[in-house]
Amino acid sequence: MITEQQSLKNYNTFGVVVRAKYFASVNNLAQLRELIKGKKYANTPKLILGGGSNLLFTKDFDGLVLHNAFKGMEMVKEDEQHIYLRVYGGEVWHDLVLHCVENGWAGIENLSLIPGSVGAAPIQNIGAYGVELEEVFHSLDALHLATGEVQTFHHADCEFGYRDSIFKKKLKGKVMVLSVVLRLNKQATFKTEYGAVKRVLEQLTAAGSPLTIRTISDAICQIRSSKLPDPKVLGNSGSFFKNPVVTPAFFDHLKEQYPSIPHYPLANGQVKIPAAWLIQQCDWKGKRFGDAGVHKNHSLVLVNYGNAKGQEIKDLSEKIQDSVQNRFGIALHAEVNIL
Protein backbone atom coordinates (compact mmCIF):
# COMPACT_ATOMS: atom_id res chain seq x y z
CA MET A 1 0.00 0.00 0.00
CA ILE A 2 1.34 3.41 -1.02
CA THR A 3 0.95 6.36 1.33
CA GLU A 4 1.60 9.95 0.29
CA GLN A 5 3.38 12.68 2.25
CA GLN A 6 4.45 10.07 4.80
CA SER A 7 6.31 11.36 7.86
CA LEU A 8 9.72 9.70 8.21
CA LYS A 9 10.30 10.86 11.78
CA ASN A 10 9.86 7.31 13.11
CA TYR A 11 11.92 5.83 10.28
CA ASN A 12 15.22 7.57 11.06
CA THR A 13 17.03 7.28 14.38
CA PHE A 14 17.95 10.97 14.39
CA GLY A 15 14.19 11.61 14.68
CA VAL A 16 14.42 14.36 12.07
CA VAL A 17 11.04 15.56 10.83
CA VAL A 18 10.91 15.06 7.05
CA ARG A 19 8.39 13.56 4.62
CA ALA A 20 8.42 11.18 1.68
CA LYS A 21 6.31 12.05 -1.34
CA TYR A 22 5.44 8.34 -1.63
CA PHE A 23 6.08 5.53 0.86
CA ALA A 24 5.62 1.76 0.76
CA SER A 25 6.61 -0.93 3.25
CA VAL A 26 7.42 -4.02 1.16
CA ASN A 27 7.68 -7.61 2.39
CA ASN A 28 7.41 -9.77 -0.71
CA LEU A 29 9.12 -9.96 -4.09
CA ALA A 30 5.98 -9.70 -6.22
CA GLN A 31 4.90 -6.50 -4.46
CA LEU A 32 8.37 -5.00 -4.81
CA ARG A 33 8.62 -5.80 -8.52
CA GLU A 34 5.18 -4.37 -9.14
CA LEU A 35 6.21 -1.09 -7.51
CA ILE A 36 9.49 -0.65 -9.36
CA LYS A 37 8.28 -1.83 -12.78
CA GLY A 38 4.85 -0.24 -12.82
CA LYS A 39 4.43 2.82 -15.03
CA LYS A 40 3.33 5.09 -12.20
CA TYR A 41 6.66 5.00 -10.33
CA ALA A 42 9.06 3.88 -13.07
CA ASN A 43 10.72 7.29 -13.36
CA THR A 44 10.31 8.30 -9.71
CA PRO A 45 13.48 8.58 -7.58
CA LYS A 46 13.62 5.71 -5.09
CA LEU A 47 15.19 5.34 -1.67
CA ILE A 48 15.69 2.03 0.13
CA LEU A 49 15.11 2.44 3.86
CA GLY A 50 15.85 -0.13 6.55
CA GLY A 51 16.13 0.84 10.20
CA GLY A 52 17.14 4.40 9.31
CA SER A 53 20.08 4.20 11.74
CA ASN A 54 22.70 5.36 9.27
CA LEU A 55 20.85 8.24 7.59
CA LEU A 56 20.65 11.96 8.08
CA PHE A 57 17.78 13.57 6.18
CA THR A 58 18.36 17.25 5.45
CA LYS A 59 15.16 17.68 3.42
CA ASP A 60 11.98 15.91 2.33
CA PHE A 61 12.42 13.02 -0.11
CA ASP A 62 10.71 13.86 -3.40
CA GLY A 63 10.23 10.28 -4.53
CA LEU A 64 9.28 6.76 -3.44
CA VAL A 65 10.68 5.37 -0.19
CA LEU A 66 10.76 1.56 -0.17
CA HIS A 67 10.88 0.36 3.42
CA ASN A 68 12.51 -3.08 3.67
CA ALA A 69 10.11 -5.25 5.68
CA PHE A 70 11.29 -8.70 4.49
CA LYS A 71 11.33 -10.90 7.61
CA GLY A 72 12.51 -14.34 8.61
CA MET A 73 15.52 -16.53 9.48
CA GLU A 74 16.28 -20.03 8.22
CA MET A 75 19.22 -22.39 8.37
CA VAL A 76 20.52 -23.02 4.86
CA LYS A 77 23.02 -25.75 5.71
CA GLU A 78 25.58 -26.80 8.29
CA ASP A 79 28.86 -28.70 8.43
CA GLU A 80 31.18 -29.77 11.23
CA GLN A 81 32.38 -26.23 11.89
CA HIS A 82 29.73 -23.85 10.62
CA ILE A 83 26.06 -22.91 10.52
CA TYR A 84 24.87 -21.10 7.40
CA LEU A 85 21.97 -18.87 8.36
CA ARG A 86 19.81 -16.91 5.91
CA VAL A 87 18.39 -13.76 7.48
CA TYR A 88 15.99 -11.45 5.65
CA GLY A 89 16.80 -7.79 5.20
CA GLY A 90 14.05 -6.30 7.37
CA GLU A 91 15.10 -8.14 10.53
CA VAL A 92 16.56 -6.05 13.36
CA TRP A 93 20.31 -6.65 13.58
CA HIS A 94 20.48 -6.93 17.38
CA ASP A 95 17.58 -9.42 17.39
CA LEU A 96 19.69 -11.57 15.07
CA VAL A 97 22.69 -11.31 17.41
CA LEU A 98 20.57 -12.39 20.38
CA HIS A 99 19.16 -15.31 18.35
CA CYS A 100 22.69 -16.49 17.51
CA VAL A 101 23.91 -16.12 21.10
CA GLU A 102 20.90 -18.10 22.32
CA ASN A 103 21.75 -20.92 19.91
CA GLY A 104 25.49 -20.88 20.59
CA TRP A 105 26.42 -19.72 17.07
CA ALA A 106 29.54 -17.57 17.29
CA GLY A 107 30.94 -14.77 15.17
CA ILE A 108 28.75 -11.70 15.65
CA GLU A 109 28.61 -11.38 19.44
CA ASN A 110 31.05 -8.42 19.26
CA LEU A 111 28.50 -6.67 17.03
CA SER A 112 25.84 -6.62 19.74
CA LEU A 113 23.54 -3.62 20.07
CA ILE A 114 24.50 -2.06 16.74
CA PRO A 115 21.32 -0.32 15.58
CA GLY A 116 19.76 -0.95 12.19
CA SER A 117 18.53 -3.73 9.98
CA VAL A 118 20.21 -6.84 8.61
CA GLY A 119 19.85 -5.55 5.04
CA ALA A 120 21.98 -2.52 5.83
CA ALA A 121 24.74 -4.50 7.58
CA PRO A 122 26.70 -5.61 4.47
CA ILE A 123 26.21 -2.24 2.78
CA GLN A 124 28.03 -0.58 5.65
CA ASN A 125 30.23 -3.61 6.45
CA ILE A 126 29.34 -2.91 10.07
CA GLY A 127 32.03 -3.46 12.65
CA ALA A 128 32.87 -2.96 16.30
CA TYR A 129 35.36 -4.13 18.92
CA GLY A 130 37.68 -5.94 16.52
CA VAL A 131 35.06 -7.67 14.33
CA GLU A 132 33.60 -6.76 10.94
CA LEU A 133 30.61 -8.29 9.21
CA GLU A 134 32.66 -9.50 6.26
CA GLU A 135 34.39 -12.03 8.55
CA VAL A 136 31.16 -14.06 8.79
CA PHE A 137 29.61 -13.04 5.49
CA HIS A 138 28.86 -15.79 2.97
CA SER A 139 26.49 -14.25 0.40
CA LEU A 140 23.46 -12.06 -0.12
CA ASP A 141 20.57 -11.76 -2.53
CA ALA A 142 19.76 -8.28 -3.82
CA LEU A 143 17.16 -6.98 -6.24
CA HIS A 144 18.21 -4.51 -8.93
CA LEU A 145 15.74 -1.63 -8.90
CA ALA A 146 16.21 -0.92 -12.61
CA THR A 147 15.34 -4.43 -13.82
CA GLY A 148 13.67 -6.32 -10.97
CA GLU A 149 16.26 -9.09 -11.29
CA VAL A 150 17.64 -10.80 -8.19
CA GLN A 151 21.40 -11.35 -8.06
CA THR A 152 23.44 -13.38 -5.57
CA PHE A 153 26.59 -11.62 -4.38
CA HIS A 154 29.38 -13.66 -2.81
CA HIS A 155 32.14 -12.23 -0.63
CA ALA A 156 34.47 -11.37 -3.53
CA ASP A 157 31.67 -9.54 -5.33
CA CYS A 158 31.02 -7.14 -2.46
CA GLU A 159 34.33 -5.23 -2.47
CA PHE A 160 34.28 -4.91 1.31
CA GLY A 161 36.43 -2.26 2.96
CA TYR A 162 36.44 -0.34 6.22
CA ARG A 163 32.74 0.62 6.62
CA ASP A 164 32.49 0.23 2.87
CA SER A 165 31.27 -2.05 0.09
CA ILE A 166 30.25 -2.04 -3.56
CA PHE A 167 26.77 -1.12 -2.34
CA LYS A 168 28.06 2.25 -1.14
CA LYS A 169 29.89 2.90 -4.42
CA LYS A 170 28.99 1.48 -7.83
CA LEU A 171 25.67 0.06 -6.66
CA LYS A 172 24.68 2.85 -4.27
CA GLY A 173 20.91 3.26 -4.33
CA LYS A 174 20.57 0.71 -7.13
CA VAL A 175 19.75 -2.48 -5.23
CA MET A 176 17.72 -3.66 -2.26
CA VAL A 177 19.27 -6.35 -0.07
CA LEU A 178 16.60 -9.02 0.32
CA SER A 179 18.51 -11.51 2.49
CA VAL A 180 21.98 -12.23 3.84
CA VAL A 181 23.59 -15.62 4.48
CA LEU A 182 26.06 -15.66 7.38
CA ARG A 183 28.61 -18.39 8.07
CA LEU A 184 28.57 -18.71 11.86
CA ASN A 185 30.95 -20.77 13.95
CA LYS A 186 30.01 -23.74 16.12
CA GLN A 187 33.26 -23.26 18.05
CA ALA A 188 33.87 -19.70 19.24
CA THR A 189 37.10 -17.79 18.77
CA PHE A 190 36.94 -14.99 21.30
CA LYS A 191 38.04 -11.48 20.31
CA THR A 192 38.62 -9.45 23.44
CA GLU A 193 41.61 -7.27 22.53
CA TYR A 194 39.91 -3.90 22.93
CA GLY A 195 40.71 -2.36 26.32
CA ALA A 196 37.13 -1.61 27.36
CA VAL A 197 36.05 -5.15 26.49
CA LYS A 198 38.90 -6.64 28.51
CA ARG A 199 38.05 -4.56 31.56
CA VAL A 200 34.34 -5.38 31.57
CA LEU A 201 34.98 -9.08 30.90
CA GLU A 202 37.36 -9.20 33.84
CA GLN A 203 34.56 -7.86 36.04
CA LEU A 204 32.00 -10.31 34.67
CA THR A 205 34.21 -13.39 34.83
CA ALA A 206 35.45 -12.43 38.31
CA ALA A 207 31.83 -12.75 39.41
CA GLY A 208 31.92 -16.39 38.33
CA SER A 209 30.70 -16.16 34.74
CA PRO A 210 32.72 -18.28 32.29
CA LEU A 211 33.95 -16.67 29.07
CA THR A 212 31.28 -17.43 26.48
CA ILE A 213 29.75 -15.63 23.51
CA ARG A 214 26.91 -14.62 25.83
CA THR A 215 29.38 -13.06 28.27
CA ILE A 216 31.02 -11.15 25.43
CA SER A 217 27.65 -9.98 24.11
CA ASP A 218 26.65 -8.85 27.60
CA ALA A 219 29.95 -6.97 27.96
CA ILE A 220 29.52 -5.22 24.60
CA CYS A 221 25.94 -4.26 25.47
CA GLN A 222 27.12 -2.86 28.81
CA ILE A 223 29.86 -0.80 27.15
CA ARG A 224 27.67 0.53 24.36
CA SER A 225 24.83 1.40 26.73
CA SER A 226 27.20 3.34 28.97
CA LYS A 227 28.73 5.31 26.11
CA LEU A 228 26.03 5.67 23.46
CA PRO A 229 22.60 7.25 23.88
CA ASP A 230 19.48 5.22 23.09
CA PRO A 231 18.04 6.64 19.82
CA LYS A 232 14.54 6.14 21.24
CA VAL A 233 15.42 8.62 23.98
CA LEU A 234 17.89 10.93 22.21
CA GLY A 235 18.04 11.06 18.42
CA ASN A 236 21.38 9.90 16.98
CA SER A 237 22.92 7.51 14.48
CA GLY A 238 25.75 6.15 16.62
CA SER A 239 29.19 6.97 15.27
CA PHE A 240 28.83 9.85 12.83
CA PHE A 241 32.38 9.71 11.43
CA LYS A 242 34.70 6.92 10.37
CA ASN A 243 37.95 6.48 12.27
CA PRO A 244 40.64 7.89 9.96
CA VAL A 245 43.46 5.70 8.69
CA VAL A 246 46.88 7.29 8.09
CA THR A 247 50.31 6.25 6.89
CA PRO A 248 53.00 5.27 9.42
CA ALA A 249 55.07 8.33 8.42
CA PHE A 250 52.17 10.71 9.02
CA PHE A 251 51.39 9.01 12.33
CA ASP A 252 55.02 9.38 13.47
CA HIS A 253 54.76 13.08 12.66
CA LEU A 254 51.58 13.35 14.78
CA LYS A 255 53.10 11.37 17.64
CA GLU A 256 55.95 13.86 17.93
CA GLN A 257 53.39 16.58 18.67
CA TYR A 258 50.93 14.39 20.61
CA PRO A 259 52.89 11.59 22.38
CA SER A 260 49.76 10.12 24.00
CA ILE A 261 47.68 9.92 20.81
CA PRO A 262 45.70 6.62 20.84
CA HIS A 263 46.11 4.43 17.78
CA TYR A 264 45.62 0.94 16.37
CA PRO A 265 48.19 -0.55 13.95
CA LEU A 266 46.50 -2.30 11.01
CA ALA A 267 47.56 -5.45 9.19
CA ASN A 268 48.37 -3.45 6.03
CA GLY A 269 50.90 -1.31 7.93
CA GLN A 270 48.71 1.76 8.22
CA VAL A 271 47.48 3.23 11.49
CA LYS A 272 43.90 3.88 12.62
CA ILE A 273 43.28 6.85 14.91
CA PRO A 274 40.07 7.21 16.94
CA ALA A 275 38.01 10.03 15.47
CA ALA A 276 36.47 10.57 18.91
CA TRP A 277 39.88 11.54 20.34
CA LEU A 278 40.54 14.01 17.53
CA ILE A 279 37.13 15.62 17.99
CA GLN A 280 37.54 15.80 21.74
CA GLN A 281 40.94 17.48 21.37
CA CYS A 282 39.19 20.16 19.32
CA ASP A 283 36.85 20.75 22.29
CA TRP A 284 33.58 19.64 20.68
CA LYS A 285 32.52 17.05 23.26
CA GLY A 286 29.25 18.03 24.95
CA LYS A 287 28.80 21.19 22.86
CA ARG A 288 25.21 22.10 21.96
CA PHE A 289 23.86 24.53 19.38
CA GLY A 290 20.11 24.81 19.66
CA ASP A 291 18.85 21.23 19.44
CA ALA A 292 21.89 19.92 17.55
CA GLY A 293 24.90 18.84 19.54
CA VAL A 294 27.78 16.51 20.33
CA HIS A 295 27.00 13.94 23.00
CA LYS A 296 28.45 14.56 26.45
CA ASN A 297 29.78 10.99 26.82
CA HIS A 298 31.02 10.30 23.30
CA SER A 299 32.33 12.95 20.94
CA LEU A 300 31.82 10.72 17.90
CA VAL A 301 28.04 10.86 18.39
CA LEU A 302 26.04 13.82 17.08
CA VAL A 303 22.59 14.14 18.61
CA ASN A 304 19.18 15.70 18.09
CA TYR A 305 17.97 17.06 21.42
CA GLY A 306 14.43 17.35 20.10
CA ASN A 307 13.67 19.54 17.14
CA ALA A 308 16.95 19.89 15.26
CA LYS A 309 16.72 20.03 11.49
CA GLY A 310 18.89 17.66 9.53
CA GLN A 311 20.68 20.60 7.93
CA GLU A 312 21.63 21.92 11.37
CA ILE A 313 23.22 18.57 12.27
CA LYS A 314 25.00 18.51 8.90
CA ASP A 315 26.31 22.06 9.44
CA LEU A 316 27.65 21.03 12.85
CA SER A 317 29.37 17.98 11.35
CA GLU A 318 31.09 20.18 8.76
CA LYS A 319 32.38 22.56 11.44
CA ILE A 320 33.83 19.57 13.29
CA GLN A 321 35.49 18.32 10.09
CA ASP A 322 37.01 21.75 9.45
CA SER A 323 38.45 22.04 12.96
CA VAL A 324 40.01 18.54 12.89
CA GLN A 325 41.46 19.24 9.44
CA ASN A 326 42.92 22.56 10.55
CA ARG A 327 44.47 21.20 13.75
CA PHE A 328 45.65 17.73 12.73
CA GLY A 329 45.67 17.77 8.93
CA ILE A 330 43.26 14.83 8.95
CA ALA A 331 40.07 14.69 6.90
CA LEU A 332 37.15 13.10 8.77
CA HIS A 333 34.64 11.29 6.56
CA ALA A 334 31.03 10.78 7.55
CA GLU A 335 30.00 7.22 8.26
CA VAL A 336 26.39 8.38 8.01
CA ASN A 337 24.68 8.79 4.63
CA ILE A 338 23.51 12.38 4.25
CA LEU A 339 20.49 13.00 2.03
Side-chain angles (χ1 to χ4, degrees):
M1 176 182 171
I2 297 281
T3 56
E4 297 187 14
Q5 296 304 316
Q6 169 73 46
S7 170
L8 298 177
K9 184 178 188 298
N10 294 328
Y11 291 93
N12 73 98
T13 59
F14 264 115
V16 171
V17 179
V18 289
R19 294 185 178 276
K21 187 174 183 180
Y22 306 110
F23 178 93
S25 191
V26 290
N27 58 16
N28 68 78
L29 204 51
Q31 177 194 19
L32 179 56
R33 282 179 168 146
E34 184 181 339
L35 283 172
I36 64 172
K37 298 183 81 173
K39 290 182 180 179
K40 184 172 181 181
Y41 303 107
N43 297 315
T44 303
K46 298 174 183 68
L47 172 68
I48 307 301
L49 186 61
S53 62
N54 201 44
L55 278 176
L56 175 62
F57 286 103
T58 60
K59 57 187 176 182
D60 292 341
F61 185 72
D62 189 27
L64 172 61
V65 168
L66 296 166
H67 178 240
N68 191 335
F70 285 78
K71 298 283 189 176
M73 301 183 199
E74 59 197 25
M75 191 187 297
V76 177
K77 63 177 180 178
E78 67 176 302
D79 56 33
E80 289 185 5
Q81 294 179 305
H82 301 112
I83 295 287
Y84 292 81
L85 186 70
R86 183 185 304 279
V87 191
Y88 287 84
E91 291 287 349
V92 174
W93 174 262
H94 185 58
D95 290 348
L96 164 63
V97 176
L98 295 178
H99 179 74
C100 292
V101 168
E102 188 67 30
N103 284 278
W105 303 333
I108 59 174
E109 56 278 0
N110 287 52
L111 306 181
S112 296
L113 218 59
I114 292 179
S117 65
V118 169
I123 296 172
Q124 186 73 3
N125 187 22
I126 59 172
Y129 301 105
V131 174
E132 290 189 329
L133 175 82
E134 67 163 310
E135 295 170 38
V136 295
F137 177 88
H138 179 262
S139 64
L140 65 78
D141 285 348
L143 179 134
H144 288 267
L145 298 182
T147 64
E149 294 180 1
V150 174
Q151 179 181 348
T152 298
F153 291 80
H154 294 282
H155 192 288
D157 304 319
C158 295
E159 299 178 12
F160 287 123
Y162 172 55
R163 304 298 174 271
D164 201 11
S165 71
I166 192 173
F167 310 106
K168 289 185 74 173
K169 295 180 289 193
K170 288 180 275 189
L171 293 179
K172 185 176 182 178
K174 296 180 179 179
V175 299
M176 176 187 276
V177 177
L178 303 176
S179 64
V180 180
V181 177
L182 301 179
R183 188 189 67 232
L184 301 160
N185 304 311
K186 291 183 175 180
Q187 186 66 41
T189 300
F190 301 120
K191 295 198 175 180
T192 61
E193 299 86 7
Y194 273 73
V197 179
K198 275 186 178 179
R199 287 194 298 274
V200 175
L201 283 175
E202 283 171 2
Q203 295 167 7
L204 292 175
T205 52
S209 299
L211 185 59
T212 65
I213 59 172
R214 184 182 296 279
T215 314
I216 290 177
S217 178
D218 289 346
I220 301 295
C221 289
Q222 185 174 321
I223 294 164
R224 292 184 71 92
S225 296
S226 68
K227 292 169 62 177
L228 302 173
D230 184 345
K232 294 174 184 174
V233 178
L234 186 63
N236 74 93
S237 66
S239 299
F240 195 93
F241 300 103
K242 299 178 184 179
N243 290 318
V245 175
V246 301
T247 64
F250 186 80
F251 175 73
D252 289 342
H253 168 70
L254 281 177
K255 195 171 171 74
E256 288 179 6
Q257 301 175 68
Y258 307 96
S260 62
I261 184 171
H263 61 283
Y264 304 98
L266 301 178
N268 62 6
Q270 294 189 301
V271 182
K272 181 161 58 174
I273 298 172
W277 184 86
L278 298 170
I279 295 167
Q280 189 169 338
Q281 296 305 302
C282 294
D283 201 29
W284 286 103
K285 189 175 182 179
K287 290 293 178 67
R288 177 172 176 172
F289 305 87
D291 273 358
V294 181
H295 194 250
K296 63 179 181 179
N297 293 338
H298 202 314
S299 53
L300 199 52
V301 179
L302 304 190
V303 297
N304 175 8
Y305 284 102
N307 297 305
K309 293 183 172 67
Q311 187 62 47
E312 293 172 326
I313 297 170
K314 179 176 183 284
D315 291 345
L316 173 58
S317 75
E318 290 173 347
K319 289 175 182 175
I320 292 170
Q321 287 172 311
D322 288 344
S323 67
V324 170
Q325 177 72 58
N326 292 336
R327 178 165 179 179
F328 295 100
I330 293 176
L332 289 184
H333 298 287
E335 189 172 316
V336 172
N337 294 304
I338 301 173
L339 297 175

